[in-house]
Amino acid sequence: MRRLRKMAEGNNVLMGILAIILGILVIAFPLFSVFTVSILAGLAIIFVGIWLLAQSFGTWSASKGASIAYLILGIIGIIVGIGLFGNILAFSAFASFLLYFAGLFMIIAGIMSFFVKEGAYGKGSGAMGIILGILYLILAAYAWDPYYLALLIGIWLIIDGIALFFIKPADIIVNEEN
């Protein structure tokens, strides 16, 4: 068990260093970085679309409605994946849209929590949801520009890399006695 913890500590430090280096590279080469991420995202969505198409043929005998839904989602996935593949502006718009959606969702959830939950903890979590939602909306406004999107991704990687230095592997590894 002690050996496993030492390995996990080493992995955390290594992953932290890699995240910091990757964050610096993303900030140093913003367009290349966003281009690379758009290619990876496009490929991932294309593969999900192909998988959904395969699911549509596999479920045809069990449920025609589910099969048609898989077919439509698969076609949409392939089209979106091709649209994102290597298209920096489309990827930036997509990332910005997701941030806007998440921000609005967090604001609505925060308002609901603020008015529904009792006590300081409930009010505090509601206020935090509203504040984070507003921050997401601000970030979404900057994510439209690929340079700022790369900067946001790079800063996030650097912060995450630094945080990995302070995470204790014992907190991550599930204790075998429990």
Side-chain angles (χ1 to χ4, degrees):
M1 187 66 159
R2 188 174 286 172
R3 190 170 163 188
L4 187 60
R5 286 185 184 168
K6 281 288 190 197
M7 284 177 40
E9 285 176 10
N11 285 341
N12 273 2
V13 171
L14 178 64
M15 293 302 291
I17 291 169
L18 288 175
I20 291 169
I21 291 170
L22 187 58
I24 292 169
L25 286 174
V26 167
I27 292 171
F29 304 104
L31 288 180
F32 180 72
S33 301
V34 174
F35 177 75
T36 304
V37 172
S38 71
I39 287 175
L40 294 174
L43 278 175
I45 294 173
I46 289 171
F47 287 139
V48 169
I50 292 169
W51 179 78
L52 288 169
L53 283 177
Q55 288 294 326
S56 74
F57 297 121
T59 59
W60 182 258
S61 61
S63 171
K64 306 241 186 298
S67 178
I68 291 171
Y70 279 133
L71 179 69
I72 292 169
L73 287 174
I75 291 170
I76 291 171
I78 291 172
I79 292 169
V80 169
I82 291 170
L84 287 178
F85 188 83
N87 190 340
I88 293 173
L89 294 177
F91 181 74
S92 294
F94 185 66
S96 182
F97 171 74
L98 290 177
L99 285 171
Y100 274 124
F101 182 75
L104 288 173
F105 184 77
M106 290 176 77
I107 289 171
I108 292 169
I111 290 170
M112 289 173 52
S113 177
F114 190 77
F115 288 113
V116 172
K117 290 186 177 177
E118 298 283 329
Y121 174 76
K123 304 293 183 196
S125 68
M128 184 60 73
I130 294 169
I131 292 169
L132 288 174
I134 292 169
L135 286 174
Y136 266 58
L137 292 178
I138 293 169
L139 290 175
Y142 287 105
W144 280 100
D145 187 349
Y147 289 108
Y148 289 121
L149 180 60
L151 182 66
L152 292 172
I153 293 170
I155 290 170
W156 172 74
L157 284 168
I158 291 170
I159 291 170
D160 194 44
I162 292 170
L164 283 172
F165 288 117
F166 300 105
I167 293 176
K168 294 178 185 171
D171 296 338
I172 298 171
I173 299 173
V174 178
N175 195 350
E176 291 180 10
E177 288 98 42
N178 291 337

